[in-house]
């Protein structure tokens, strides 16, 4: 059985509602999904933890939602990646939610975002798929995804935290492009 890793968004954990939906969907594809908790506002530690899990557990697919999409982007190369309403500019989004004391954190996110985008190559593009909700009221990086990764993406119904049927439609399209099953 193939193994996948789910990376939750900000203010979430291993009990993520979206993660539980994805876990059910992945089991239908014969993929075992691991959903650990991460410290979303400790980017360097979180990236190291993710990279360790990918290596140690032989992860073939990484799936990230929201801020977890940033961590999916920042994760080591190798596994296929599915992005669900990813936050590709965490420093910009978080700056409206944080105070001046967190300036250092925002600088770390900016540096890591730049490094992550700079290392994307043809192999990474071909192994990535984006799922974006039409009614995401928090943010949308659909155009940036298309510019960076190409047309391996789709819109689904729903909002930032998509419902099971909407995610199922997105994963069905992803499965047509990525051989994760």
């Amino acid at each position: 059985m193939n193994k996948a890793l789910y990376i939750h968004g900000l203010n979430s954990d291993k009990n993520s509602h979206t993660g539980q939906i994805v876990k059910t969907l992945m089991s239908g594809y014969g993929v075992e999904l691991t959903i650990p908790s991460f410290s979303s506002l400790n980017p360097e530690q979180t990236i190291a933890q993710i990279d360790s899990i990918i290596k140690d557990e032989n992860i073939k697919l990484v799936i990230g939602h929201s801020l977890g999409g940033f961590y999916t982007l920042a994760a080591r190369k190798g596994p296929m990646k599915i992005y669900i309403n990813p936050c590709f500019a965490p420093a910009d989004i978080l700056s409206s939610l944080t105070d001046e004391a967190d300036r250092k954190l925002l600088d770390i996110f900016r540096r890591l975002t730049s490094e992550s985008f700079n290392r994307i190559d043809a192999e990474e593009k071909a192994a990535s798929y984006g799922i974006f909700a039409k009614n995401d009221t928090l943010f949308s990086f659909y155009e940036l995804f298309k510019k960076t990764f190409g047309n391996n993406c789709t819109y689904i119904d729903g909002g930032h935290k998509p419902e099971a049927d909407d995610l199922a439609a997105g994963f069905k399209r992803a499965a047509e492009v990525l051989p994760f099953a």
Side-chain angles (χ1 to χ4, degrees):
M1 176 176 280
N2 285 334
K3 293 182 83 174
L5 171 65
Y6 178 81
I7 307 171
H8 60 77
L10 183 65
N11 297 326
S12 192
D13 60 20
K14 64 183 178 182
N15 299 310
S16 161
H17 175 72
T18 303
Q20 297 306 313
I21 293 171
V22 172
K23 187 172 190 165
T24 300
L25 291 172
M26 290 291 91
S27 69
Y29 289 99
V31 176
E32 178 186 345
L33 188 68
T34 299
I35 309 176
S37 291
F38 297 102
S39 177
S40 298
L41 295 179
N42 190 335
E44 291 166 323
Q45 174 190 4
T46 298
I47 292 168
Q49 183 182 0
I50 290 166
D51 286 348
S52 177
I53 293 169
I54 290 170
K55 181 182 174 196
D56 296 345
E57 297 188 26
N58 197 26
I59 299 294
K60 301 295 184 199
L61 173 66
V62 178
I63 303 165
H65 173 244
S66 193
L67 186 57
F70 161 76
Y71 286 113
T72 300
L73 176 69
R76 69 175 36 231
K77 288 181 59 174
M80 293 172 281
K81 297 179 178 182
I82 296 178
Y83 300 87
I84 304 168
N85 294 326
C87 178
F88 282 154
D92 296 342
I93 301 301
L94 293 172
S95 66
S96 64
L97 305 174
T98 60
D99 58 27
E100 285 299 310
D102 295 320
R103 192 177 220 45
K104 184 178 179 182
L105 174 64
L106 298 179
D107 289 343
I108 292 169
F109 271 117
R110 283 186 189 94
R111 176 180 55 80
L112 293 171
T113 300
S114 177
E115 290 171 3
S116 298
F117 274 100
N118 286 335
R119 73 159 204 262
I120 296 171
D121 58 15
E123 182 181 330
E124 181 104 358
K125 290 177 185 181
S128 297
Y129 195 86
I131 299 172
F132 296 85
K134 294 175 187 173
N135 299 312
D136 190 331
T137 56
L138 293 181
F139 48 75
S140 179
F141 290 93
Y142 179 80
E143 293 301 326
L144 177 59
F145 187 93
K146 283 187 73 160
K147 180 181 172 188
T148 305
F149 291 97
N151 291 322
N152 283 353
C153 57
T154 191
Y155 270 121
I156 60 171
D157 289 329
H160 189 69
K161 294 183 179 182
E163 297 300 322
D165 290 345
D166 300 325
L167 273 176
F171 274 92
K172 181 178 180 188
R173 292 181 201 127
E176 294 169 359
V177 175
L178 299 179
F180 61 80

